[in-house]
Amino acid sequence: MTAVTIECCPPLTRGPLSEQDAVDLAALLKAVADPVRLRLLSMIGSHEGGEACVCDLTDAFDLTAPTISHHLKVLRTAGLIDGERRGTWVYYRVIPETVARLGTIFTPLA
Amino acid sequence: MTAVTIECCPPLTRGPLSEQDAVDLAALLKAVADPVRLRLLSMIGSHEGGEACVCDLTDAFDLTAPTISHHLKVLRTAGLIDGERRGTWVYYRVIPETVARLGTIFTPLA
DNA sequence: CGCTTGATTAGAGGAATGTCAAATTAGACG
DNA sequence: CGTCTAATTTGACATTCCTCTAATCAAGCG
């Protein structure tokens, strides 16, 4: 599916964030500001082979399959993960560039 | 006022996040997952002297004073900023340790 | 003391969000 | 084709969140 590409932003303490940058950044942060999505992201990112099957992810939570599917869609729409169907199962992998951008925002440059 | 202290967490891709760590981290991320609070944080952090008066912050937005006060409280409760009253005005400053922790979570260790 | 200005608290209304059950799509396999 | 499993979509409900108005607290000043 479509993955939104966001290029913003410099570190927070660099200077006042523009209104538009703040809106874009907030959208990205909202995608990760949820316990389930954080665990999904870390499970996918740390899974062997760099990808994880939805079936594995669903089993790890005490939540229904539609709920997990919903959270995966939020992460995917934010450009944090990407999914691919291979036969019966769907596999997700992390898009490291987007995750890295989150890091740079909160990392003060020396 | 009181500032919550959180010590978690290792980088996301290091390994699956524990449920408790995910809850703590999500709470911290929710505090910054808002355009107004992001701009407040960057305005305070980049302000000369490392601190900013509430009066300056309020003027920069098209929002009422109580709304700004609410957002400042959210940031303060999350341990991201700290406020101090000096005479007539209240000044806020960033707590860099908390911001830095956000950075480490999304920064892949080499 | 009474007034003015700065800032927070309290309460309410409307929008956004997380979850689930039910229905739907997509492949694999007899 | 029919059916079974995997995954997503749809629609509904309860909760949380953002914003405002009104009221309150704090400090300075005449």
Side-chain angles (χ1 to χ4, degrees):
Chain A
M1 268 292 304
T2 49
V4 175
T5 313
I6 314 175
E7 319 83 359
C8 85
C9 308
L12 275 189
T13 51
R14 177 67 114 172
L17 220 51
S18 79
E19 187 164 350
Q20 187 57 57
D21 279 357
V23 169
D24 293 343
L25 225 190
L28 184 57
L29 284 167
K30 269 201 300 185
V32 292
D34 178 273
V36 175
R37 291 197 289 271
L38 278 174
R39 290 182 66 200
L40 284 171
L41 200 58
S42 76
M43 289 172 75
I44 296 170
S46 63
H47 200 272
E48 78 171 303
E51 61 182 16
C53 173
V54 174
C55 53
D56 297 328
L57 301 173
T58 302
D59 291 348
F61 293 87
D62 198 19
L63 296 168
T64 65
T67 297
I68 299 299
S69 196
H70 160 71
H71 286 302
L72 289 171
K73 185 176 187 176
V74 171
L75 290 172
R76 197 179 42 196
T77 302
L80 286 158
I81 62 174
D82 195 14
E84 178 195 0
R85 172 163 220 133
R86 286 207 298 277
T88 305
W89 295 283
V90 175
Y91 296 87
Y92 281 95
R93 65 166 45 76
V94 169
I95 301 180
E97 291 79 10
T98 311
V99 177
R101 181 167 53 249
L102 285 174
T104 66
I105 289 158
F106 297 108
T107 302
L109 49 174
Chain B
M1 267 296 304
T2 49
V4 175
T5 315
I6 313 173
E7 320 83 358
C8 84
C9 310
L12 275 189
T13 50
R14 176 69 114 170
L17 221 52
S18 79
E19 189 165 349
Q20 186 57 56
D21 279 357
V23 170
D24 293 343
L25 224 190
L28 184 56
L29 284 167
K30 267 201 301 185
V32 291
D34 177 273
V36 176
R37 292 197 288 271
L38 278 175
R39 290 182 66 200
L40 283 172
L41 201 57
S42 76
M43 289 172 74
I44 296 170
S46 64
H47 200 271
E48 79 172 302
E51 61 182 17
C53 172
V54 174
C55 53
D56 297 330
L57 302 173
T58 302
D59 291 349
F61 293 87
D62 199 19
L63 296 168
T64 64
T67 298
I68 299 299
S69 198
H70 159 71
H71 285 301
L72 289 171
K73 185 175 187 176
V74 171
L75 291 172
R76 197 177 43 197
T77 302
L80 286 159
I81 61 174
D82 195 13
E84 177 196 0
R85 173 163 220 133
R86 285 205 299 277
T88 305
W89 294 282
V90 174
Y91 296 88
Y92 280 95
R93 62 173 6 89
V94 169
I95 300 180
E97 292 80 9
T98 311
V99 177
R101 180 167 52 250
L102 285 174
T104 66
I105 288 157
F106 298 108
T107 302
L109 48 174

